[in-house]
Amino acid sequence: MPKIFFDQVSKSYGAVEVLPPFDLTLEDGEFTVLVGPSGCGKSTTLRMLAGLETLSNGEIYFDDRAISKLEPKERDLAMVFQDYALYPHMNIAKNMSFALRLARVSKSEIDEKVLRVAKMLNIAHLLDRKPAELSGGQRQRVAMGRALVRDAGTFLFDEPLSNLDAKLRGKMRAELAEMRDTIDKNMVYVTHDQVEAMTLGDRIVVMSDGYIQQQGTPEALFKHPVNKFVAGFIGSPTMNFLDADLVEERGLTWVRGDGFMLPLSDETGKRMADAKNRNVTVGIRPSSFLTDASNGAPMELKVVVSEYLGAQSVLITRCSETDVVVETQSAQPLQTGSVQIFGVKTDEIMVFEKSSGRRL
Amino acid sequence: MQTANVNRLTPYLFLAPAGIIMAVALLYPIGYMIYASFLDWNPSQRIGEAEFIGLRNYLNLLGDAAFRESFWVTLKFAAIVVTVEMLLGVGLALLLDRNIRGMSLLRTLFILPMMIAPVVVGLMWRYMYHPTVGIFNRTLKSLGLEPIPWLSDGNWAFASVIIADIWQWTPFIFILSLAALQSLPQSAMEASRIDGATGWQQIIHIKLPLMMPVLIVTLLLRLIDAFKVLEVILVLTNGGPGLSTEILSLRISRTASEFRELGEAAAMSNVLLILLMILTFAMFAYSKAVEIRTARLRAAAEETAI
Ligand SMILES: Nc1ncnc2c1ncn2[C@@H]1O[C@H](COP(=O)(O)OP(=O)(O)OP(=O)(O)O)[C@@H](O)[C@H]1O
Ligand SMILES: [Mg+2]
């Protein structure tokens, strides 16, 4: 499978530049996830890779081969479209087997493959229907099936699970994860979904407004986001952001805001030394709070809402004016309306420059 | 109870005016024609004075060699022009369905012939087919070739009217096909490119099947029209030489005006009408059959699934 390299690729529609020039490398056999808010250019990137959209500038390489002038079919890829793009006049079996039939695969092999994939996707009983006679989620699974029956080198998925219910989505995610581990293909996967991105991706590319904000392993993005956007985008529930000032006291660097004052770990504090602007944004993940205040820096929060989720609870609390989301083990029920002192794991506190959002 | 009844009748009440207009404007003339076809009626009589002769007009038609000839000419004409026009029109649409500069101008030019009044088309082509000063024979002559008896030889005259009709009506099919093409789901086209379809395979497996409903209606419209064509042929050849280009509508008009046999002309019209109705019903039956077949297949599939 080729290594895919975007070299200074950009895309404009008329005068509107939706993707400024960017570089991106997708290693051989890697499962890459593109995430980002709606309209940030994920589908456009995928469609350029597929050959459905021309590049305004730059070049895409498969290994050393420039491919931006090649027809889609010469790029050896299969794709799941965001809007499914099923063939309305063919039944589901025909939809799924179209590429194989064009490639003159033997009938028995086609039937075997289609049935196997259809069973995996729970659509085997729908094979004789036309797309118009299916529900949205069923259509989406057909779109998925149409790509999966193929033996392409690169698979492109544009939000392939967005329309499925939670249970089915979980099942499909597991199937994809298994595929990722067992077959050696390039996969590029667009999603809005946190969990999908984190569980499936070997590498996650976070995009916003056409710019690649950061790329790396799920762990790297979670632990070392380069800016506030990435920190807020990766991780669920999302990180809490609080305005604060940097102050030096008792040999430590502290972040002091409305209703809290937390010390930074030595390591983080050292990085603050050259922060000229003392106005910062503090990022604390909901998982960084401990109900036992003695194990971290104390922070006083008023519990407003408690959302019981089974294994854990998500508390919405208030620190002076700002909402702060806290994740706790449900074993210790907390009274709503009560004021609690939580412990904050200081080594997990992140500090961002207030003006640019850059991580300090 | 009362209101329920009224509510149920409301739609019919609203439909009534349209129904009445339809009955007057559509059914009355047809009924009149059907009645007339049972009469021995010439134009100097009022319809009440005409003698009722039952099916004799129709029996006469069966024995009338000239009618049978013109029936055959009509069938041949309609089959040839519609086939060629469909192939050309759809082919051109497939060819010109792309966004390059100047394409919209080209498309507009293509549909011009359709906008010219048929009588004018007839006159135009008659001049072009003129044995000595027409553009075709002049061109042939300047190339040192024999002139062609465009309108004076039976076979050539038949070909000539076909050429004129194709020139005028291919644009109709072209424009409908183009509209159908441009309203096809783009994403399905993209999917087929990813699935590895070549241009030809896209046309055969995606475009044509998706255009089929429009194409069938277009075909039907053109077929009905081709069976009724009159003006162009009237001006070009007036049915001649001999009976070589005398299509049914020409025969009907001559029977009524030249031979003054209104009853027989009405009978011929009815034969034409029946022919067209058979065509229409065949189309409906076809689409109905397709529907039923898929429904049955699905039912069978569902039974086995359970
Ligand atoms: N054909 C087009 N003409 C003009 N602008 C376009 C066109 N297609 C997309 N855009 C713009 O390009 C930007 C990126 O679109 P894209 O479809 O890649 O977003 P996305 O990240 O896939 O969003 P979503 O998550 O909602 O699918 C959007 O701002 C969109 O408005
Ligand atoms: Mg998209």
Side-chain angles (χ1 to χ4, degrees):
Chain A
M1 302 308 116
K3 168 176 143 182
I4 300 167
F5 175 50
F6 288 74
D7 181 17
Q8 288 299 300
V9 171
S10 69
K11 177 72 188 174
S12 308
Y13 289 108
V16 189
E17 186 172 62
V18 297
L19 286 172
F22 67 95
D23 285 340
L24 179 63
T25 309
L26 313 176
E27 294 295 340
D28 165 19
E30 205 173 46
F31 198 116
T32 310
V33 178
L34 302 181
V35 288
S38 185
C40 70
K42 307 180 294 291
S43 297
T44 308
T45 308
L46 212 60
R47 291 167 55 83
M48 287 194 299
L49 179 55
L52 298 171
E53 223 53 85
T54 55
L55 317 193
S56 300
N57 254 314
E59 182 59 75
I60 302 178
Y61 295 94
F62 279 12
D63 292 328
D64 295 324
R65 203 158 60 103
I67 57 131
S68 71
K69 299 284 180 299
L70 295 187
E71 274 292 301
K73 66 180 158 72
E74 296 165 305
R75 303 186 185 196
D76 184 29
L77 33 83
M79 176 163 177
V80 181
F81 287 76
Q82 187 168 9
D83 59 355
Y84 318 149
L86 301 178
Y87 308 120
H89 59 293
M90 296 184 196
N91 67 21
I92 301 316
K94 291 252 159 58
N95 257 284
M96 288 174 63
S97 62
F98 187 59
L100 300 178
R101 282 183 287 136
L102 290 182
R104 305 205 176 284
V105 177
S106 76
K107 174 125 183 19
S108 57
E109 191 180 338
I110 291 179
D111 290 346
E112 191 266 327
K113 275 189 169 161
V114 168
L115 196 66
R116 180 171 51 79
V117 173
K119 276 190 177 140
M120 175 182 122
L121 296 166
N122 278 349
I123 48 173
H125 58 298
L126 304 173
L127 286 178
D128 290 309
R129 295 213 198 161
K130 294 271 177 70
E133 298 160 350
L134 301 185
S135 74
Q138 289 169 336
R139 275 179 228 173
Q140 193 161 39
R141 277 176 281 160
V142 176
M144 187 88 164
R146 189 173 59 184
L148 295 186
V149 291
R150 296 192 43 201
D151 190 31
T154 304
F155 285 81
L156 310 178
F157 302 96
D158 199 343
E159 303 190 28
L161 310 182
S162 60
N163 239 327
L164 305 184
D165 62 58
K167 188 168 155 227
L168 209 51
R169 192 183 295 205
K171 175 171 183 272
M172 297 300 308
R173 204 165 57 221
E175 297 278 3
L176 280 171
E178 191 184 330
M179 249 180 83
R180 174 195 62 188
D181 297 338
T182 50
I183 61 175
D184 174 36
K185 305 277 184 191
N186 295 330
M187 306 208 192
V188 187
Y189 190 100
V190 169
T191 181
H192 284 130
D193 189 294
Q194 277 299 316
V195 189
E196 274 169 37
M198 297 297 271
T199 53
L200 290 176
D202 292 321
R203 174 210 302 271
I204 299 181
V205 179
V206 183
M207 298 176 67
S208 159
D209 288 336
Y211 290 94
I212 294 179
Q213 301 289 333
Q214 188 177 0
Q215 49 173 307
T217 61
E219 196 190 358
L221 290 188
F222 187 79
K223 290 200 172 142
H224 311 290
V226 295
N227 58 28
K228 189 177 155 198
F229 179 83
V230 176
F233 207 85
I234 300 292
S236 168
T238 40
M239 183 182 263
N240 299 295
F241 293 108
L242 300 158
D243 286 342
D245 296 327
L246 286 174
V247 290
E248 309 281 344
E249 230 169 78
R250 284 171 273 164
L252 285 174
T253 309
W254 301 68
V255 283
R256 185 179 61 198
D258 212 3
F260 66 92
M261 175 138 170
L262 300 167
L264 297 177
S265 65
D266 288 345
E267 193 196 345
T268 320
K270 261 185 228 127
R271 287 208 304 271
M272 296 306 119
D274 51 301
K276 290 190 203 74
N277 193 338
R278 305 261 97 187
N279 286 333
V280 294
T281 303
V282 178
I284 310 172
R285 293 204 184 273
S287 54
S288 302
F289 290 96
L290 303 162
T291 25
D292 183 2
S294 59
N295 284 341
M299 185 166 175
E300 207 177 76
L301 296 168
K302 182 174 177 215
V303 181
V304 185
V305 179
S306 170
E307 292 173 345
Y308 177 74
L309 297 179
Q312 85 267 40
S313 288
V314 172
L315 307 176
I316 298 176
T317 67
R318 201 153 285 159
C319 170
S320 139
E321 298 291 281
T322 327
D323 279 353
V324 175
V325 178
V326 174
E327 216 174 31
T328 64
Q329 304 306 315
S330 344
Q332 312 114 340
L334 289 171
Q335 190 70 40
T336 51
S338 67
V339 175
Q340 297 280 335
I341 298 177
F342 292 89
V344 180
K345 298 186 207 160
T346 51
D347 53 338
E348 290 181 6
I349 296 177
M350 296 182 191
V351 184
F352 304 94
E353 194 172 75
K354 194 172 172 190
S355 50
S356 65
R358 188 169 58 91
R359 172 109 184 262
L360 292 175
Chain B
M1 192 63 218
Q2 272 293 3
T3 40
N5 258 335
V6 172
N7 276 345
R8 216 151 33 81
L9 290 177
T10 315
Y12 297 101
L13 216 67
F14 280 109
L15 282 175
I20 291 167
I21 290 174
M22 217 163 85
V24 173
L26 198 70
L27 297 182
Y28 178 77
I30 291 179
Y32 198 88
M33 185 173 77
I34 292 173
Y35 177 60
S37 71
F38 299 125
L39 302 177
D40 180 12
W41 182 22
N42 81 55
S44 58
Q45 294 169 306
R46 279 188 292 115
I47 193 165
E49 296 164 2
E51 186 192 349
F52 188 86
I53 54 167
L55 287 174
R56 192 137 25 99
N57 281 330
Y58 291 93
L59 293 177
N60 284 348
L61 283 187
L62 287 181
D64 181 354
F67 172 76
R68 283 207 308 262
E69 177 63 22
S70 98
F71 193 82
W72 171 235
V73 169
T74 308
L75 279 184
K76 234 177 11 179
F77 175 82
I80 295 177
V81 295
V82 173
T83 309
V84 176
E85 284 165 15
M86 285 300 286
L87 291 178
L88 276 181
V90 175
L92 276 175
L94 288 169
L95 207 66
L96 296 186
D97 174 35
R98 55 194 69 192
N99 288 320
I100 44 181
R101 196 183 287 273
M103 199 46 85
S104 58
L105 180 74
L106 199 62
R107 285 184 205 140
T108 319
L109 285 180
F110 260 117
I111 62 174
L112 272 180
M114 206 174 77
M115 303 183 202
I116 304 174
V119 176
V120 180
V121 172
L123 285 172
M124 235 168 61
W125 281 88
R126 200 163 93 188
Y127 291 128
M128 294 200 287
Y129 284 139
H130 192 281
T132 51
V133 300
I135 174 95
F136 296 131
N137 276 357
R138 275 216 320 258
T139 312
L140 286 177
K141 200 170 156 203
S142 67
L143 292 174
L145 297 170
E146 282 291 299
I148 288 173
W150 292 107
L151 299 175
S152 46
D153 170 86
N155 288 333
W156 276 110
F158 189 66
S160 298
V161 295
I162 283 178
I163 292 172
D165 193 88
I166 289 171
W167 178 84
Q168 190 181 15
W169 288 110
T170 300
F172 173 76
I173 291 164
F174 166 72
I175 199 171
L176 288 185
S177 311
L178 195 65
L181 264 177
Q182 292 181 339
S183 63
L184 293 189
Q186 277 313 305
S187 57
M189 232 64 81
E190 289 178 344
S192 71
R193 286 171 68 195
I194 299 267
D195 274 346
T198 59
W200 266 116
Q201 288 170 327
Q202 263 189 31
I203 289 175
I204 289 167
H205 296 294
I206 314 284
K207 290 183 183 174
L208 286 181
L210 285 177
M211 287 165 76
M212 206 37 89
V214 175
L215 291 187
I216 287 178
V217 173
T218 312
L219 178 85
L220 184 61
L221 286 176
R222 259 320 282 149
L223 214 50
I224 290 174
D225 232 37
F227 275 114
K228 297 188 310 188
V229 67
L230 174 68
E231 297 98 322
V232 176
I233 298 182
L234 183 78
V235 175
L236 267 181
T237 65
N238 196 16
L243 291 181
S244 59
T245 59
E246 184 167 278
I247 35 91
L248 262 184
S249 50
L250 209 55
R251 179 93 207 149
I252 293 169
S253 117
R254 286 181 67 193
T255 310
S257 54
E258 239 172 82
F259 313 143
R260 304 170 67 77
E261 298 272 9
L262 290 189
E264 197 158 332
M268 286 182 187
S269 301
N270 282 341
V271 170
L272 185 58
L273 182 69
I274 289 167
L275 186 75
L276 294 181
M277 276 185 7
I278 290 174
L279 263 177
T280 314
F281 282 132
M283 288 297 178
F284 279 134
Y286 168 76
S287 58
K288 192 81 197 161
V290 171
E291 229 168 75
I292 291 173
R293 198 172 61 101
T294 47
R296 210 187 42 226
L297 278 181
R298 184 166 324 126
E302 247 148 44
E303 244 161 56
T304 50
I306 291 165

